[in-house]
Amino acid sequence: NDLWVAHEDVDEVMSRCRSGRVMTIPDVGHEINENPEAFKFVIKEVVAFCSDGLPPSEAGVMVPAKKVLLGQNRVERKQLQESIKFTDTEGEFWGEYLGKFGIIEDAKYYVEYFGKMAELLGGVQSNDVLLDAGCGNGFFGISIIRSLIHNLSAKKVFPHPIHYCGVDFTSRGLSRSYSRHVPELIDLHQQLSSEFREIAYSYRKLDFDSVGGANGGRLPFADGSLDKICCSLVLSYLKDPLSLMQEFYRILRPGGVAVVSSMKPGCDMTVLYHSYVTQGSEAKTELEAGNEQDASGLLSAAGRIKLKRDAGVYQFFEFEELEQLAALSGFENTRSCRSFGNQANLIRLVK
């Protein structure tokens, strides 16, 4: 299921490789380690293939003990951390990355992903206070505005104000969210009726790594003051994700809902940008050519994200790990699912 390699190209290679054979790897795409069972299958088949060309051995294949493997993993992770040098700061990196990310706003996987986030959070209600924790390009805020416009056209009454707060740790992210929201907010206010009170939008710059820790930093919200929290693909890049989850529990009102997501371990991030990098038209418009360039930049940035993950700087979470963070934060009512081209894990939390 590799999107980047055509079967006819494999056939062409194998036609010139008399001693080779083709094995189909089940349930995996471009990244073999996307599926641990598929990865084991590959290792087993490679060892078997190589063993066919070796003289018989009484020892057979030696499999290291798990303790030995974990120890070696720590050694190699430390070596990787010492060897990689990134000249830009986290803020600079994410500001540039999100600046290119806008090209996939209408991509199938992205639309599906934010549709699932909205579904898990539930519809906007009168008097709701919503937090977009890591607002990035402002896509969640846009979905709120469009939901309100839809409700307004259906003559749904909102007798009390609704408040959206976008928080991000990059100035460029906040500026991009605000710029994206303003035109649609104008459209919304032009349609206001006397039955619709108002919607308030506010923005704040905040480094989530300042939450918790030795300084005991807190989110700037009172206990039990929020109704909904969207935290899209943020936890993996924090030094202390548990502290942020604990703050979500503190600031949610009883019955409030948070939806938190993380790319899954072994994710294939190339799936998300494939269609933009491989546009085959020779007569590309300037816009299309720019999109392709941005997509290539996104692939490069995705490679850097994975390198930092391999070095232990970032951590992608399994369902069980997200559920453990939720439990340690005080949440008892949780539900998990997968979205974003099957590459992201989502968890719904109810206080």
Side-chain angles (χ1 to χ4, degrees):
N1 296 320
D2 192 337
L3 293 174
W4 298 89
V5 180
H7 284 267
E8 51 267 30
D9 292 337
V10 176
D11 294 338
E12 173 68 14
V13 170
M14 295 309 297
S15 68
R16 305 170 188 226
C17 184
R18 297 176 183 175
S19 301
R21 65 174 182 259
V22 175
M23 299 295 298
T24 300
I25 307 170
D27 303 318
V28 73
H30 183 67
E31 297 283 348
I32 295 175
N33 62 342
E34 181 184 350
N35 181 330
E37 291 305 315
F39 188 80
K40 292 177 184 177
F41 172 84
V42 170
I43 295 297
K44 180 180 178 181
E45 292 299 326
V46 168
V47 169
F49 181 79
C50 293
S51 297
D52 286 347
L54 296 173
S57 169
E58 294 182 5
V61 178
M62 304 297 292
V63 181
K66 188 173 183 179
K67 184 177 180 180
V68 174
L69 288 173
L70 291 174
Q72 184 63 22
N73 181 266
R74 284 193 294 271
V75 170
E76 294 183 11
R77 181 167 289 181
K78 183 179 179 181
Q79 291 174 341
L80 186 57
Q81 288 175 346
E82 293 172 348
S83 66
I84 59 176
K85 303 294 180 185
F86 294 108
T87 57
D88 52 0
T89 65
E90 285 288 285
E92 290 170 339
F93 170 73
W94 288 107
E96 181 180 351
Y97 178 72
L98 292 171
K100 298 178 183 299
F101 205 81
I103 63 167
I104 68 168
E105 179 182 2
D106 298 320
K108 178 183 71 172
Y109 292 138
Y110 208 57
V111 172
E112 170 211 55
Y113 168 70
F114 267 99
K116 178 57 71 173
M117 293 284 287
E119 175 191 327
L120 293 173
L121 276 169
V124 179
Q125 303 296 321
S126 180
N127 215 30
D128 268 357
V129 181
L130 309 105
L131 171 62
D132 192 354
C135 54
N137 283 314
F139 295 140
F140 176 63
I142 281 290
S143 71
I144 296 299
I145 299 171
R146 290 173 180 170
S147 172
L148 292 173
I149 291 175
H150 173 76
N151 288 330
L152 191 60
S153 64
K155 302 193 182 305
K156 183 173 181 179
V157 177
F158 287 83
H160 301 290
I162 292 161
H163 189 102
Y164 163 95
C165 182
V167 175
D168 204 89
F169 81 108
T170 70
S171 298
R172 291 166 70 180
L174 289 173
S175 176
R176 203 170 287 116
S177 291
Y178 179 74
S179 300
R180 186 179 293 273
H181 295 162
V182 165
E184 304 234 10
L185 278 170
I186 292 172
D187 185 26
L188 173 63
H189 285 294
Q190 286 175 342
Q191 298 185 46
L192 290 180
S193 67
S194 60
E195 296 176 314
F196 192 104
R197 296 293 183 185
E198 63 183 35
I199 177 171
Y201 268 56
S202 63
Y203 304 85
R204 178 161 181 158
K205 184 178 178 181
L206 176 71
D207 184 353
F208 292 119
D209 277 331
S210 68
V211 174
N215 297 324
R218 307 181 99 194
L219 293 175
F221 302 95
D223 295 359
S225 59
L226 272 67
D227 298 277
K228 292 182 174 70
I229 299 173
C230 170
C231 186
S232 172
L233 306 177
V234 171
L235 281 191
S236 296
Y237 312 115
L238 304 182
K239 296 174 183 175
D240 184 9
L242 176 59
S243 288
L244 185 62
M245 291 278 278
Q246 289 171 334
E247 278 293 278
F248 287 166
Y249 185 83
R250 178 184 69 80
I251 62 181
L252 273 176
R253 65 166 178 79
V257 179
V259 177
V260 177
S261 63
S262 162
M263 299 304 288
K264 71 179 184 181
C267 66
D268 182 1
M269 298 178 77
T270 71
V271 167
L272 309 177
Y273 318 128
H274 175 266
S275 59
Y276 291 90
V277 177
T278 58
Q279 297 177 51
S281 171
E282 294 182 4
K284 288 186 176 71
T285 66
E286 185 176 340
L287 177 62
E288 289 172 332
N291 281 352
E292 184 178 2
Q293 185 176 7
D294 278 352
S296 297
L298 278 173
L299 275 176
S300 176
R304 295 175 68 192
I305 290 172
K306 293 188 69 175
L307 183 60
K308 287 187 174 183
R309 180 207 63 192
D310 292 342
V313 179
Y314 298 153
Q315 180 182 2
F316 294 163
F317 296 103
E318 295 281 10
F319 286 135
E320 295 79 9
E321 293 170 315
L322 288 174
E323 289 165 359
Q324 184 179 27
L325 284 172
L328 291 172
S329 303
F331 293 100
E332 297 179 356
N333 187 348
T334 65
R335 176 158 60 96
S336 303
C337 65
R338 187 162 283 163
S339 184
F340 214 179
N342 202 40
Q343 303 307 312
N345 291 329
L346 286 66
I347 185 168
R348 181 179 189 266
L349 315 166
V350 182
K351 182 173 178 179

